[in-house]
Amino acid sequence: MPASPRSSRQFSLSSAGVQDLMNNPPKAGAADPAFVGRDWHDITVGELVDPAEVRFVELDTGVEDATNLLIDSASTVLLIRATRNETLAIGTFDYKDLNQYLLFATGRLRPDEEHLAFFQDLASKAQQGQEIPIKDAKALGSKEPFVVLPHTANLTKAVEAFGGGVHRIVIAQEGTDEVTGILSQLKLVKFLWENGSSFPVIDQLYPQTIKDLGIGSQHVISINGDKPLKEALVLMDGEGVSSLAVVDNQQNVVGNISTVDVKLLTKSSSAPLLDNTCIHFISVILSTRGMNDGKDSFPVFHVSPYSTLAHTVAKLVATKSHRMWVVDSPSPSSSGPPTPSIPSAVSHNPLHAASTPQATPSFISVSASPSVSASSLPGASMSGRLSGVVSLTDVLNLFARASGLNPNDPAETRRRRRRSSSSSLVRGSLDSARSSSVDVSKILR
C-alpha cells in the first residue's frame, strides 16, 4: 500500500507561526511601476484584466460539463453565451449556482406553487439520466447583478459599482460585445493594496482601525459547527451569501464554509458529508487543501474591532477571502448544548433532511459520525466571540466614499439579494423534497 501523502508533507506553520501570521499579516509589496505616479482615476479597468482568464459555456452546456470546467479551470466564474459563435456574455455560472443545483439534485429544495410543474419536469429528466442544460439550472434561483463596463472605463466606475454590492464586472472591448476579462472585488482590492502608495486618498485610511472607520456589519450569518453540513448549504442559498462563519457553543469562530467549497461535494461518493457536521467538513477542506498544496493548511479568517484597515485588507488579500469575521476576546469553549446566539448574529434552525448514503471516496473521510466537536478545535481559543463581519464590499464602499463617489447602499443590495433568494423558484426544504430527489451521480461527476 502506498504511503499516505501526509507522511511526506511538511507542516507549513506551527501554532506560534499561525498566531504570528494572524497578528502580522503580509505587507503590501512594491508598487507596479506601470502605475507609479498615475492618478488612479485615470487607470482603466481594461488594464487590470486578462482575456486568458475568461472561460465560456453555452446555454445548452450540461451542468456536469460546466461544473467540470469551473473546477478544472481554477476559475470562480464561467461566462454564459447563447451559442459557441457568440461573443456576447449574457450571464454567469459560479459556485453559488452550483450550490443551489446540488441542493436540488439531493432533494433539499422545493419549488413554489407557481413553478411546481417546471421543477417536477426538471427532476424527472434528471432521474432519467438526461443532461440538464445550464439555462434550466440557472432558472432554479436568484440572479446576481450582471454588470458590463467598456475596457476604457476608469477605476472609479468599478469602485463605485463594487462599493454598492456588485461582486464582479464583465469587461468588454469598447463598442463591441467582445469580452476582454472579468474584474472581481478581490482583484481590485488586491491591486489597490499593492499599489496603495500611489493612491494617497486610499493609503491614508490603512492605519485606522475598522472600529474607528465604522465599517462592517453586525448582522452575521453563522452556524454552529455541530450542525449538519446540509443545513449550512441551505442557509447560504436562502440568505444569498457566499460564506458562513462556523462557531462553537459559545459563539467563538472556529471556521468558515463558502460556496466554493461545494467543489468537494460534486461526486456522489461525497454525499455522506452532507449529513456529517460542519466541523467535519472544515477538516475535509483543510486536509484536501493540504494534500493539493503538499503542506498542512490552517484557516486565518478573523480580525478584531481594533485591527487596522491595513491588517484587515492584508488578510483578505493573503487568504483570497471575501470577508473577515470580526471577533471580540475569546470566551471559554463548552461541550454542552448550543447556547442561544448573540443578538448580532443569525443562528440557523435545524432542518430534517433525509440521509443519502453513498460509496466512500478513497481520499477523504466521510464517516457518519463527527470526528471532532465544535468546542474542541483550536479556533475556540485562538479566535474569539463572533461580533461582526467586514467584507470586500465594505472596504470598497469606504474607498468610494473617501474618494467622493456615491456608491449604492450595500446594505440595501444585501436585502434585495436575500429577498431574491427567498422568493426564487425554489427554497430550502424544511422537510426535504424527497419526491423530487434525484441521484446526484447521474448529474455530477
Side-chain angles (χ1 to χ4, degrees):
M1 179 180 294
S4 168
R6 285 184 176 274
S7 62
S8 60
R9 285 159 55 198
Q10 295 184 351
F11 291 85
S12 57
L13 286 174
S14 64
S15 296
V18 169
Q19 191 64 53
D20 182 64
L21 177 59
M22 290 179 175
N23 294 332
N24 303 285
K27 293 182 171 60
D32 187 330
F35 302 105
V36 173
R38 295 177 59 185
D39 187 328
W40 71 284
H41 293 74
D42 296 328
I43 297 172
T44 65
V45 293
E47 296 178 72
L48 272 61
V49 298
D50 182 358
E53 297 176 353
V54 178
R55 298 288 185 275
F56 274 103
V57 290
E58 288 71 53
L59 282 172
D60 60 357
T61 299
V63 173
E64 180 179 356
D65 289 340
T67 297
N68 292 342
L69 179 59
L70 185 65
I71 294 173
D72 295 341
S73 67
S75 175
T76 58
V77 62
L78 304 176
L79 294 183
I80 302 173
R81 57 189 175 189
T83 67
R84 186 175 294 273
N85 296 325
E86 297 283 339
T87 60
L88 174 66
I90 57 176
T92 59
F93 180 77
D94 59 17
Y95 283 105
K96 289 179 72 174
D97 297 312
L98 180 58
N99 179 48
Q100 184 159 73
Y101 189 76
L102 177 67
L103 292 173
F104 157 74
T106 54
R108 290 176 173 85
L109 292 179
R110 63 183 178 184
D112 55 29
E113 188 172 344
E114 179 183 354
H115 299 94
L116 181 61
F118 170 82
F119 186 90
Q120 291 177 331
D121 179 63
L122 193 62
S124 176
K125 289 179 180 178
Q127 287 170 335
Q128 296 170 26
Q130 297 182 34
E131 186 175 70
I132 304 299
I134 285 287
K135 62 183 178 183
D136 287 346
K138 288 291 292 185
L140 286 172
S142 58
K143 310 295 187 296
E144 285 287 319
F146 188 73
V147 178
V148 180
L149 284 177
H151 78 287
T152 55
N154 62 49
L155 288 191
T156 60
K157 299 294 184 183
V159 171
E160 196 164 44
F162 286 146
V166 172
H167 291 158
R168 65 176 67 93
I169 298 173
V170 175
I171 309 302
Q173 189 74 23
E174 186 174 24
T176 73
D177 296 330
E178 182 181 355
V179 175
T180 60
I182 302 172
L183 184 61
S184 66
Q185 287 183 322
L186 181 59
K187 181 177 289 188
L188 182 54
V189 167
K190 183 175 186 290
F191 169 80
L192 295 173
W193 168 243
E194 293 179 342
N195 296 278
S197 59
S198 298
F199 315 130
V201 172
I202 292 175
D203 199 44
Q204 67 180 348
L205 299 172
Y206 286 129
Q208 301 181 54
T209 68
I210 57 177
K211 179 180 176 64
D212 289 341
L213 290 169
I215 65 171
S217 171
Q218 291 186 323
H219 181 82
V220 190
I221 311 298
S222 67
I223 189 167
N224 185 278
D226 291 330
K227 297 295 185 184
L229 173 61
K230 60 195 175 189
E231 297 185 20
L233 303 186
V234 171
L235 183 60
M236 284 192 291
D237 179 67
E239 292 289 339
V241 296
S242 60
S243 64
L244 296 174
V246 180
V247 299
D248 68 7
N249 299 337
Q250 302 299 320
Q251 289 294 135
N252 295 307
V253 176
V254 295
N256 182 88
I257 292 176
S258 75
T259 52
V260 174
D261 299 323
V262 302
K263 69 173 68 175
L264 300 178
L265 303 171
T266 56
K267 294 185 178 181
S268 58
S269 55
S270 302
L273 288 171
L274 293 169
D275 293 292
N276 214 317
T277 65
C278 292
I279 286 298
H280 180 75
F281 187 54
I282 289 173
S283 72
V284 170
I285 294 169
L286 299 180
S287 176
T288 304
R289 189 181 303 161
M291 292 175 74
N292 291 338
D293 297 342
K295 59 186 180 181
D296 279 323
S297 180
F298 197 98
V300 181
F301 42 71
H302 65 269
V303 294
S304 84
Y306 301 99
S307 296
T308 63
L309 181 63
H311 180 98
T312 304
V313 170
K315 279 191 177 181
L316 287 166
V317 170
T319 59
K320 299 181 181 179
S321 300
H322 285 189
R323 52 186 53 81
M324 282 285 141
W325 311 114
V326 179
V327 300
D328 296 328
S329 59
S331 58
S333 61
S334 168
S335 58
T339 56
S341 62
I342 58 176
S344 60
V346 176
S347 266
H348 177 38
N349 293 323
L351 303 183
H352 303 285
S355 172
T356 312
Q358 300 283 352
T360 302
S362 58
F363 64 96
I364 54 176
S365 169
V366 290
S367 59
S369 58
S371 56
V372 66
S373 70
S375 61
S376 61
L377 278 191
S381 59
M382 294 181 67
S383 60
R385 188 178 177 87
L386 180 65
S387 62
V389 61
V390 175
S391 68
L392 292 173
T393 295
D394 297 322
V395 172
L396 287 164
N397 181 270
L398 173 67
F399 290 169
R401 289 184 288 107
S403 303
L405 304 177
N406 296 294
N408 292 330
D409 179 5
E412 178 55 33
T413 302
R414 294 186 187 108
R415 284 191 288 269
R416 286 200 302 268
R417 188 175 287 118
R418 291 191 184 102
R419 286 196 297 267
S420 177
S421 294
S422 64
S423 62
S424 60
L425 186 155
V426 290
R427 302 186 183 117
S429 174
L430 297 180
D431 55 4
S432 180
R434 294 183 180 88
S435 62
S436 299
S437 179
V438 299
D439 183 359
V440 71
S441 65
K442 296 179 180 178
I443 306 165
L444 303 176
R445 65 179 187 173

